[in-house]
Amino acid sequence: MSTLFSPVNVLAMVLFAAALAWRIYQVQRAPTVPNWAVTACVAGFAAAFLLQQTAISDEVDALLGRGAARVANNALLACGLCALVVFFLGSALGPRRYRRVTAELVPLLAAIALMIVAMAVTPPQLRGLPLGPSTVHDSGVALFYLGAGLYLIYGLIACSAWIVRYLRVADRNLRIGLKLSAIGMACAAAGSVFRALYIVVAWAFGPVLKVLLLLGVPFVIVGGMLFLAGMTYPGVRARLSALRRRRQHRREHQALAPLWTLLVRAFPSIVLRTPPRRDRFSPRGVHRVHYRRVIEIRDGLVQLSPYLAADFGEVVATDPGAAAAALKTALERHAAGEENDGRAKQVLPSQADDIESDVRPLLALSAALDS
């Protein structure tokens, strides 16, 4: 059991868990065929990885018979790869995808059937054993690993080709993830080719070129890790960006407090309905509270604008200190009930065309009031 939690295995399990959690989140948001396909791909690869661990495979073999874990492991790898091919087909072919997807199931089912038959004809004492010099000359063992390997080579090359096509239209963050995945799949395909050559040479001609098998193993391991990193990267990058944005909105919410407090004292009606307390601290609630404060400040300035000069909006952008002094004077005049010109004026720079553009001058004005 100790090898199950080796550093490499723990890292792989963390990557699988992160990738699977991200994909489940995406499916909940948009349960489309491509999203389901990628989720099935990650789940298949994760299950196959677990079945490679001796502690788990021994239990499966004890329950279902010797060799069952090896068949399940390779079948899950093939299913995960087929799901990834389905993702690309579903994203690219539109209404024509269903016929093509059905066609992709044919080589998958053929490969799984071949693995089952090959395992059945393998002598009991060799079933479930890894590929090596002592097993490669048996026809059942050679046929099993060759059938599994050829499907993996086909699927990995097909997916790598689709990814290269997608690189042309992907955004920067997705492009980085796709590049990592493509490199990982190319590495895994190279490792599978080395293993296939090892089997063919030993089974058909007799010599055991162990160097081919040794070359294939690191390619497959590195390829798998790169593929997982590529699948995980966009989700991790998106979560980190969301965290940075939430922190920014919290800071801005606090920085706007001096300006907001003055305007609320003068115009209590600008305060919008307060959300439930639990919503206030949720991820979306942080943004909602922040935007509500900006809107309330903007509404307060509009109500105060008859007491402000016509160029107040431009002064806010060029000289926040002067704008803060003008604002305080206007608030004093409003509190004293003095007359005003009755005309609403531009209270923010004219180039501010969205709520994010409004925030920058408001932050400068609030900081000038607090100084």
Side-chain angles (χ1 to χ4, degrees):
M1 183 67 74
S2 58
T3 58
L4 180 61
F5 297 103
S6 66
V8 173
N9 283 353
V10 169
L11 176 60
M13 285 188 278
V14 169
L15 287 174
F16 273 124
L20 190 56
W22 173 248
R23 293 315 315 171
I24 291 173
Y25 171 72
Q26 292 295 317
V27 166
Q28 289 177 337
R29 293 183 61 187
T32 60
V33 171
N35 274 342
W36 274 111
V38 178
T39 305
C41 166
V42 177
F45 287 167
F49 169 78
L50 290 176
L51 280 172
Q52 285 180 331
Q53 310 308 311
T54 304
I56 296 176
S57 63
D58 287 348
E59 294 295 328
V60 173
D61 283 346
L63 182 65
L64 301 177
R66 191 168 184 179
R70 189 73 63 176
V71 173
N73 166 256
N74 285 272
L76 284 167
L77 280 175
C79 288
L81 202 52
C82 182
L84 197 57
V85 174
V86 168
F87 160 74
F88 289 117
L89 294 175
S91 301
L93 298 181
R96 297 179 296 147
R97 65 175 179 259
Y98 295 108
R99 182 177 299 177
R100 181 65 187 276
V101 166
T102 303
E104 284 296 327
L105 295 178
V106 175
L108 171 67
L109 295 175
I112 293 175
L114 178 60
M115 286 187 279
I116 293 173
V117 171
M119 187 61 71
V121 301
T122 300
Q125 66 273 17
L126 297 180
R127 292 176 186 173
L129 294 181
L131 184 66
S134 62
T135 58
V136 69
H137 292 102
D138 181 81
S139 296
V141 173
L143 193 60
F144 174 84
Y145 284 106
L146 188 61
L150 289 177
Y151 183 82
L152 290 180
I153 293 169
Y154 158 74
L156 290 168
I157 292 175
C159 289
S160 298
W162 278 108
I163 289 175
V164 170
R165 290 179 60 179
Y166 269 93
L167 285 173
R168 304 169 190 168
V169 296
D171 60 46
R172 181 178 178 275
N173 291 336
L174 183 58
R175 194 179 300 127
I176 293 174
L178 289 175
K179 284 181 179 178
L180 287 172
S181 295
I183 294 171
M185 288 189 166
C187 287
S192 297
V193 168
F194 282 127
R195 191 172 75 162
L197 288 174
Y198 171 82
I199 295 169
V200 170
V201 171
W203 185 33
F205 303 104
V208 176
L209 302 180
K210 196 172 181 179
V211 64
L212 292 174
L213 193 59
L214 294 176
L215 282 173
V217 171
F219 273 97
V220 172
I221 293 175
V222 172
M225 300 292 281
L226 286 174
F227 171 76
L228 274 177
M231 292 290 291
T232 308
Y233 179 83
V236 172
R237 183 65 182 265
R239 291 299 92 196
L240 290 176
S241 297
L243 287 173
R244 284 196 297 268
R245 189 173 178 82
R246 284 203 292 273
R247 284 199 300 268
Q248 176 187 346
H249 279 181
R250 286 194 187 99
R251 289 195 300 267
E252 291 178 352
H253 181 80
Q254 294 172 355
L256 290 171
L259 176 58
W260 178 83
T261 302
L262 285 177
L263 291 173
V264 167
R265 286 174 183 167
F267 306 102
S269 62
I270 65 175
V271 178
L272 302 175
R273 182 178 64 86
T274 303
R277 184 175 181 84
R278 64 179 180 276
D279 181 62
R280 210 175 306 172
F281 300 100
S282 67
R284 291 184 181 180
V286 169
H287 303 306
R288 193 177 295 117
V289 168
H290 168 71
Y291 290 134
R292 192 179 73 246
R293 173 157 289 188
V294 174
I295 293 169
E296 290 169 352
I297 290 174
R298 198 165 53 184
D299 290 348
L301 289 174
V302 170
Q303 292 194 36
L304 186 65
S305 64
Y307 293 94
L308 296 169
D311 63 345
F312 180 80
E314 300 306 319
V315 175
V316 171
T318 57
D319 190 353
L327 179 67
K328 290 177 180 178
T329 301
L331 286 169
E332 291 171 357
R333 291 177 58 202
H334 171 267
E338 296 183 14
E339 292 187 2
N340 58 71
D341 59 15
R343 290 181 296 137
K345 303 178 183 69
Q346 182 80 26
V347 294
L348 289 171
S350 55
Q351 65 268 24
D353 54 0
D354 57 34
I355 196 166
E356 294 292 347
S357 301
D358 289 347
V359 172
R360 289 187 290 273
L362 292 179
L363 287 169
L365 180 58
S366 185
L369 287 170
D370 198 35
S371 60

